[in-house]
Amino acid sequence: QVQLVESGGGLVQAGGSLRLSCAASGIPFSINTMGWYRQAPGKQRELVAGVSRGGTTNYADSVKGRFTISRDGAWSTVYLQMNSLKPEDTAVYYCNAVPPLVTYWGQGTQVTVSS
């Protein structure tokens, strides 16, 4: 059974930093890439960063240079270091496989950036 539990969100001022963590279990061996997604009010969920088993990372243009995704060797935890946060980064952040295992979204963690 896949379980994804996100944590680490909070309220931060613009320019601040947060580190999100995703405790993952039951990830199928066939999954090659895990990622962080976010959904802002009234907007569709979007992929912001991904990391492969081999360590290759990819980022949305909107977060490139500010966010860093990492993971431990066994997918048990996936991290998202977020620096230089902007008000437009405000969203609920989720981790999942890329492409996502659609039946296994966690509860997400709220990130709110004040101006």
Side-chain angles (χ1 to χ4, degrees), residues 9-18 66-67 82-90 111-115:
L11 173 63
V12 64
Q13 288 188 331
S17 298
L18 285 172
R66 300 188 297 121
F67 290 12
M82 305 187 296
N83 299 327
S84 303
L85 283 161
K86 305 176 180 180
E88 51 264 43
D89 295 319
T90 294
V111 171
T112 303
V113 184
S114 63
S115 57

Side-chain angles (χ1 to χ4, degrees), residues 5-13 17-22 36-43 45 67 80 82 85-95 106-114:
V5 181
E6 301 92 348
S7 62
L11 173 63
V12 64
Q13 288 188 331
S17 298
L18 285 172
R19 189 190 195 209
L20 307 184
S21 297
C22 171
W36 281 94
Y37 299 76
R38 68 185 180 188
Q39 186 166 21
K43 295 188 176 182
R45 193 171 297 176
F67 290 12
L80 187 68
M82 305 187 296
L85 283 161
K86 305 176 180 180
E88 51 264 43
D89 295 319
T90 294
V92 179
Y93 284 71
Y94 304 87
C95 70
Q107 82 288 351
T109 186
Q110 175 70 49
V111 171
T112 303
V113 184
S114 63

Side-chain angles (χ1 to χ4, degrees), residues 44-60:
Q44 288 191 332
R45 193 171 297 176
E46 63 173 344
L47 176 66
V48 296
V51 60
S52 73
R53 285 189 183 272
T56 301
T57 57
N58 289 283
Y59 300 93

Side-chain angles (χ1 to χ4, degrees), residues 26-32 53 75:
I27 303 298
F29 186 76
S30 59
I31 297 301
N32 183 63
R53 285 189 183 272
W75 286 142

